[in-house]
Each structure stands twice: as structure tokens, then as C-alpha cells.
Amino acid sequence: DRSRATLYDIAVRTLVESWARLRSDVWDADQARPVQYAEEGLAVLPGLAWHMHEHCSGGLIPKGELLQEIAARLPTPGPGVTTPSPAQRAGDFLSRLEQSGGLLLPRGPEEWCFSHPTFQEYLAAKHVVAQEEHQTKLLPLRYRPRLREVILLAAGELGSVQRRVRAASAFVRAILDDPRDWRATDLRMNLVIALLCATEAILEDELLDRLADAYMEASERVSLKDRLPLRLLAGTPLAGRLIERLRSESELPFDNAV
């Protein structure tokens, strides 16, 4: 599985939980209080990342706004449990997350950001998929450069992390099926995005065949190979299908470089 979403899923969990224990100044690691990824991290971080991707220019969020977003997303304690105020709980969460030293970092005294834009993009994709809003929120904006990585990682989250191959295939088909927009009909940007999704997600065989056929057909009309070099598809199930089609069109032996 070469999906980046699978790698980032492991990396985010490690940065939130395991790395915090290793970096702890407390000799007894059991006293270090890392964020519990499954219970707290998943409740807060994906939604926070989507909010920042939508509303925070340059990936920077003011600390006050950050604490408000955390407080709104932290799980509610059970009935009868005495807890600090939402603001105190948000501050405690942020302090424990900062202890991990790798995912969310301060940039000066009053602004924070994810340590790398890819973490924000992956967690934003994870949020949209978890809310089952990948079709409604991402498809209408499929040609916006700022959302390109979120779309690809959403496909990877569906098809590779969650192994929802049918849902991932339906998402990629919806990207591909755009008969009216000039960016699809003239530039075939829909096909480029769908092909890149195929490098991130496990997809149905029928869809992979359709993508390979569409690539061959589009290559004759537009400079698709310049915009999507075959090396980007190397090592994927789609690559094998392209090799078969390229061989069938050539009388010369075809170099297995894809």
C-alpha cells in the first residue's frame, strides 16, 4: 500500500501519543499525560484542521480562536463527573498536545499552526470523510488548487485507510464525471485528479480500466503526459493496465518504466 493517507494516519497517531511519552521530562512515563488519540485526538484534530483549512490564511490560527475550537470539540464528560471549565479543558489539551512537540506548534506568542501543511490537509480530509461530506463539500470545488491535496487524501482515507473501496470508487467516479465544466472538457483536469486519486486509494477494477482507457484517449488530444508524467503512477495497479495498453499500441518492446 503506497497510499500517503495510510502513512499520515500512522504518523499523526504516533506524534500525538507515542512521541509525547518519549519527549516527556517525567521519568515515570506513566505520569506523562499524552492526548489519547482515539478518544480526544480524533474528536478535536480533524475538525480543527478543516476549520483552519477553510478559514485561516497561511495555516495560522490565533490562540484564542484555537482554544475556542478545541473547547467546542472536546468530548463531553459523563453525567456526574466534576470537570474544569471548557476553557480550562481546552488549555490542558493544547498543553498536552504541545508536549508531543510535533503536530501543532506555536508561531510566536499568539498564533499556532500544524507543523507541516500535509498534516492539516490529511486531517481536514479525514474530517470531511468522517462526516460523509466528501461528495458535497469537495466535488463542487474540485478544481481549486488549495483543495487538491485534501481531495487526494480523502480518496486515500476512504479506499486505503478505511478500506471502503466502493465508497472511494464512487467518489473518484464523481470527480471523473464532469461533462460540462470547460476545465474537464477542454483541459481534462477531472481526469488528472481522478488518476492521481488512483495512486492514493484502492479502487474497483472496473474503474481502473476506465481510467486507463480515458488516459489513452486523452493523451491523443491534450498534452496529458506533460501534466501527469507516467512515473507518478509507478507501482500502482493502474500502471499495469497502462503498460498493457501502451504495448498493444506499439510494435516495439515497451520498457516497464511505469
Side-chain angles (χ1 to χ4, degrees):
D1 185 352
R2 54 167 278 173
S3 167
R4 292 179 302 153
T6 303
L7 172 64
Y8 299 150
D9 188 57
I10 296 169
V12 168
R13 182 185 297 271
T14 300
L15 286 171
V16 170
E17 285 188 338
S18 303
W19 195 237
R21 292 189 182 277
L22 291 174
R23 289 174 57 90
S24 175
D25 294 329
V26 182
W27 284 105
D28 184 355
D30 290 335
Q31 295 181 31
R33 296 172 50 246
V35 171
Q36 299 301 308
Y37 183 68
E39 294 79 15
E40 300 174 286
L42 286 178
V44 173
L45 296 171
L48 172 64
W50 178 250
H51 171 83
M52 290 174 63
H53 208 72
E54 278 196 306
H55 302 294
C56 298
S57 176
L60 294 171
I61 184 170
K63 185 175 181 179
E65 183 180 348
L66 171 62
L67 290 171
Q68 289 179 353
E69 291 295 322
I70 292 173
R73 291 178 167 84
L74 277 171
T76 304
V81 178
T82 302
T83 61
S85 69
Q88 290 174 316
R89 293 176 63 228
D92 176 68
F93 177 93
L94 184 59
S95 176
R96 289 184 290 129
L97 189 64
E98 185 181 11
Q99 180 182 340
S100 71
L103 188 63
L104 203 64
L105 301 175
R107 287 288 182 262
E110 295 299 327
E111 289 186 314
W112 287 66
C113 67
F114 282 94
S115 57
H116 194 279
T118 299
F119 290 136
Q120 178 177 307
E121 290 161 346
Y122 170 64
L123 287 166
K126 196 173 188 71
H127 171 76
V128 175
V129 168
Q131 300 298 312
E132 296 292 339
E133 294 176 334
H134 45 281
Q135 300 247 15
T136 56
K137 285 193 172 181
L138 297 181
L139 284 180
L141 306 175
R142 72 191 83 181
Y143 303 122
R144 287 193 181 180
R146 180 169 168 75
L147 284 177
R148 173 68 62 86
E149 288 299 308
V150 177
I151 289 170
L152 302 184
L153 292 168
E157 174 71 13
L158 284 165
S160 296
V161 177
Q162 299 186 11
R163 300 285 169 164
R164 294 169 57 195
V165 177
R166 181 178 297 181
S169 298
F171 180 52
V172 175
R173 281 193 194 93
I175 292 171
L176 190 58
D177 292 334
D178 187 1
R180 294 185 176 86
D181 194 296
W182 66 271
R183 289 165 292 190
T185 57
D186 296 346
L187 302 180
R188 298 311 307 271
M189 289 178 63
N190 59 329
L191 176 57
V192 171
I193 297 170
L195 288 165
L196 288 172
C197 285
T199 70
E200 302 286 350
I202 301 171
L203 301 175
E204 294 173 341
D205 288 341
E206 174 274 328
L207 177 56
L208 291 174
D209 285 330
R210 180 183 170 191
L211 287 171
D213 290 338
Y215 181 95
M216 298 300 295
E217 184 272 332
S219 295
E220 299 175 0
R221 299 193 299 109
V222 296
S223 56
L224 195 61
K225 291 180 181 178
D226 294 335
R227 293 157 53 207
L228 184 64
L230 289 175
R231 60 181 173 77
L232 295 181
L233 307 177
T236 68
L238 180 59
R241 288 166 166 81
L242 286 172
I243 288 174
E244 293 174 2
R245 286 159 175 79
L246 289 166
R247 275 180 172 157
S248 68
E249 288 194 355
S250 175
E251 296 179 359
L252 299 175
F254 184 72
D255 182 8
N256 281 1
V258 181

